[in-house]
Amino acid sequence: MNLAQLLVRTARIFPEAPAIFFGRRLVCNYRELAERAARIAGHLRNTLKLSPGDRVAVFMTNNPEYLEVLYGIWYAGLAAVPINAKLHAREAEFIVRDSGATALFVSSDLAAGLMNVSVEDSILRAVFIPGNSSYESLLRTEPIAQAEPSEPDDLAWLFYTSGTTGRPKGVMQSHFNLLAMTMCYFTDVDQVRQDDAIVYAAPMSHGAGLYNFPHVLMGARHVIPDSGGFDPEELVALAAHHRNVSMFAAPTMVKRLVEHVDAVHADATGFKTIVYGGGPMYVEDIRLALAVMGNRFAQIYGQGESPMTITALSKAHLTALDHPRHAERLASVGIAQSLVEVRVADEYGNTLPPDTVGEVMVKGTPVMKGYWNNPEATAQAIRDGWLLTGDMGSMDADGFLTLRDRSKDVIISGGSNIYPREVEEVLLLDPAVHEVSVVGRPDPEWGEVVVAFVSIHAGKQTSAQALDALCLEHIARFKRPKEYRFVDTLPKNNYGKVLKTALRKQLMEEEHEQTA
């Protein structure tokens, strides 16, 4: 089944239902959205002569045209290649080339930079800039009569990983993969009604954009903030206006939103569900979120290779205060979602007993087809149908998974494994600590020693001695940091994740300077 059929179905059932808003302004209803997608498809197929399976790149900021472009691509039987709008033009060019994209949709504010990077020798047949005259003429193309039939295994979404350890890899997601993800949302994350709305505060090229499917299927509203991104004050106002608003957010975004609501005593009742994922949510942060904003949170754990669909921690689990293991469950990422199996295994692939740390593995219908043109990487990532996530974790007897760290982030000191997140959770118990990141520094005697980079709340104070005492109170002596570095901010990538690689690189460079 072609994903475009979700839109076609809704446009038939609820043609006049409002579909897309730009801020508070209604842009189109579902009938109009489906017609615009069909016209885009008509141009791609009949004017450009693209063939089913061809890739079309989308290098756009969050804007009202994003969904019509995506559905136009699928309507034509093509595959979308979403590119994070925060990437450098050269990074975007690599993705365009590597994917073999035959057409490109690019936002006007990104077009100039991209055009400075040569794409003339690529196989692009056309570049479209939503909002200009050529795009408007595209929308006057004769629409194709019906969505191109697709097989379940046909490529729909070619997502490029962030590439922190080298060139990004293209993750191949089929129509069936993403339909399975959509069904998991209803079963494991949240229900959707027609009077609900989803606001896109995180990049639509990633998880936030994938959550369009359950909302399109139910004829709900899609809201693009005027800012095009994340602004706590704007989001609170939009939620108050539209009501029943859901959103996907990284933990750092949730933290900022909660701090804003708490500081100004904002009315947060317009929010229905805030799904968080994409990085570690510390226990103290989710406790504050629940205290400030109430039962509006659900957590998902996924990867591009199994998008939004490994485990989920529901609203019910988060608020089950009377459960004897509620504190442990707050620190977990929940239980396996409905259409996947999850286990924790040793280096040989053997399932480990409960509460034993190993690599998290997942198997099921949402797991990717593989990496684009990279069979070696695919073979390393998928073994006997199981995706090796690269995440270290443990699962309790009830099936709740607690992540420790990425395997590459584990610190080995004196032969013992130290999981940075465990240390970070303790340091965040100090009310003066705003953010913290723990990494390993090479050491000739111990192999690695623990270093904590700490950011302090404005107007508050703490010390290395106070933090050390906190660690000695809560964790084994060998796990505590050997050094505390107080910094104004921590380096982050385009998605708000702290870049431990940058911190480790800084320590390595210092080590080389000292030994030179």
Side-chain angles (χ1 to χ4, degrees):
M1 177 181 174
N2 188 328
L3 288 166
Q5 291 295 344
L6 302 181
L7 175 59
V8 172
R9 176 183 181 275
T10 297
R12 287 173 179 164
I13 300 171
F14 309 117
E16 303 305 316
I20 298 177
F21 288 83
F22 190 37
R24 300 186 180 193
R25 178 177 64 85
L26 177 63
V27 175
C28 64
N29 59 32
Y30 272 97
R31 174 183 52 78
E32 293 164 334
L33 176 58
E35 182 178 336
R36 291 168 75 89
R39 290 183 182 279
I40 291 171
H43 191 91
L44 295 174
R45 290 298 306 276
N46 298 328
T47 304
L48 293 185
K49 306 298 183 184
L50 301 189
S51 302
D54 284 350
R55 279 77 58 208
V56 177
V58 183
F59 187 37
M60 291 167 55
T61 53
N62 289 3
N63 60 58
E65 291 84 10
Y66 210 112
L67 285 180
E68 68 187 28
V69 167
L70 285 179
Y71 278 93
I73 292 168
W74 294 321
Y75 211 101
L78 311 173
V81 186
I83 305 173
N84 189 343
K86 294 182 179 179
L87 291 184
H88 188 277
R90 292 192 181 277
E91 295 173 299
E93 181 196 18
F94 168 80
I95 293 173
V96 169
R97 291 182 183 280
D98 188 72
S99 66
T102 49
L104 168 67
F105 289 85
V106 57
S107 300
S108 58
D109 52 342
L110 302 174
L114 187 60
M115 292 306 104
N116 288 334
V117 177
S118 174
V119 293
E120 283 77 11
D121 57 339
S122 71
I123 59 173
L124 285 174
R125 299 186 194 178
V127 176
F128 303 103
I129 303 175
N132 71 4
S133 56
S134 65
Y135 186 80
E136 293 306 314
S137 65
L138 175 152
L139 291 174
R140 292 192 291 271
T141 304
E142 186 70 22
I144 61 176
Q146 61 183 16
E148 182 72 24
S150 294
E151 295 299 320
D153 205 39
D154 286 348
L155 180 64
W157 180 276
L158 185 56
F159 168 79
Y160 277 76
T161 61
S162 56
T164 56
T165 57
R167 286 289 196 182
K169 300 185 290 289
V171 175
M172 296 187 289
Q173 288 288 336
S174 70
H175 290 267
F176 190 56
N177 290 148
L178 297 179
L179 286 169
M181 181 210 72
T182 301
M183 295 304 108
C184 281
Y185 186 91
F186 294 130
T187 305
D188 305 301
V189 182
D190 201 19
Q191 294 297 302
V192 180
R193 303 186 307 266
Q194 191 181 350
D195 62 348
D196 286 345
I198 181 169
V199 60
Y200 296 101
M204 296 177 72
S205 53
H206 290 64
L210 288 174
Y211 275 170
N212 91 81
F213 299 121
H215 290 82
V216 165
L217 184 56
M218 301 308 293
R221 296 162 293 156
H222 305 260
V223 182
I224 314 297
D226 288 299
S227 67
F230 178 78
D231 178 85
E233 184 176 2
E234 179 185 27
L235 290 171
V236 170
L238 285 174
H241 175 76
H242 289 288
R243 311 300 296 178
N244 299 323
V245 167
S246 296
M247 61 181 281
F248 173 78
T252 51
M253 296 164 63
V254 173
K255 184 179 176 71
R256 287 176 56 195
L257 178 63
V258 170
E259 288 174 346
H260 169 76
V261 171
D262 193 28
V264 303
H265 305 291
D267 179 6
T269 57
F271 288 103
K272 176 195 173 193
T273 303
I274 297 173
V275 181
Y276 61 93
M281 172 65 86
Y282 297 108
V283 171
E284 290 307 304
D285 289 340
I286 190 58
R287 279 185 173 142
L288 179 62
L290 292 166
V292 171
M293 296 182 63
N295 186 16
R296 290 181 166 80
F297 296 92
Q299 180 178 197
I300 61 96
Y301 161 52
Q303 297 182 335
E305 290 84 348
S306 185
M308 322 300 272
T309 46
I310 298 179
T311 64
L313 189 67
S314 69
K315 292 180 183 179
H317 289 137
L318 283 166
T319 55
L321 299 177
D322 58 345
H323 194 281
R325 290 188 296 281
H326 180 253
E328 292 91 333
R329 289 183 174 184
L330 275 186
S332 79
V333 290
I335 59 176
Q337 293 195 32
S338 301
L339 297 179
V340 296
E341 298 174 66
V342 178
R343 61 191 182 100
V344 174
D346 63 18
E347 67 242 59
Y348 306 108
N350 301 310
T351 300
L352 292 169
D355 302 316
T356 306
V357 176
E359 184 169 6
V360 179
M361 302 173 68
V362 59
K363 181 179 185 179
T365 47
V367 172
M368 68 171 180
K369 289 159 55 72
Y371 294 113
W372 177 255
N373 287 339
N374 198 336
E376 296 84 5
T378 300
Q380 290 177 359
I382 300 179
R383 299 179 190 170
D384 298 323
W386 289 90
L387 171 69
L388 282 65
T389 66
D391 288 325
M392 304 300 288
S394 61
M395 186 177 290
D396 70 14
D398 296 330
F400 282 78
L401 176 69
T402 299
L403 296 181
R404 304 302 172 179
D405 279 290
R406 293 288 292 171
S407 57
K408 62 184 175 61
D409 291 333
V410 174
I411 300 167
I412 303 176
S413 183
S416 297
N417 286 2
I418 300 172
Y419 299 98
R421 180 174 175 177
E422 181 182 9
V423 184
E424 292 161 357
E425 292 274 15
V426 171
L427 295 176
L428 283 166
L429 293 174
D430 187 321
V433 174
H434 178 239
E435 290 183 315
V436 62
S437 184
V438 168
V439 297
R441 183 184 69 205
D443 183 84
E445 181 179 358
W446 296 98
E448 288 181 290
V449 295
V450 181
V451 178
F453 288 81
V454 184
S455 170
I456 303 300
H457 282 290
K460 294 189 177 182
Q461 292 183 335
T462 191
S463 65
Q465 292 76 17
L467 294 175
D468 211 43
L470 195 61
C471 286
L472 289 172
E473 182 183 350
H474 289 276
I475 56 177
R477 179 176 290 269
F478 76 88
K479 297 179 181 180
R480 79 189 200 283
K482 299 298 184 287
E483 181 183 356
Y484 298 88
R485 295 198 178 193
F486 294 93
V487 296
D488 293 331
T489 59
L490 296 174
K492 297 183 178 72
N493 67 8
N494 294 323
Y495 321 115
K497 292 183 182 179
V498 173
L499 289 171
K500 289 181 183 282
T501 50
L503 297 175
R504 285 193 291 262
K505 181 180 179 182
Q506 176 185 332
L507 295 174
M508 289 283 289
E509 290 174 347
E510 292 175 1
E511 188 78 12
H512 288 151
E513 289 175 3
Q514 292 173 4
T515 56

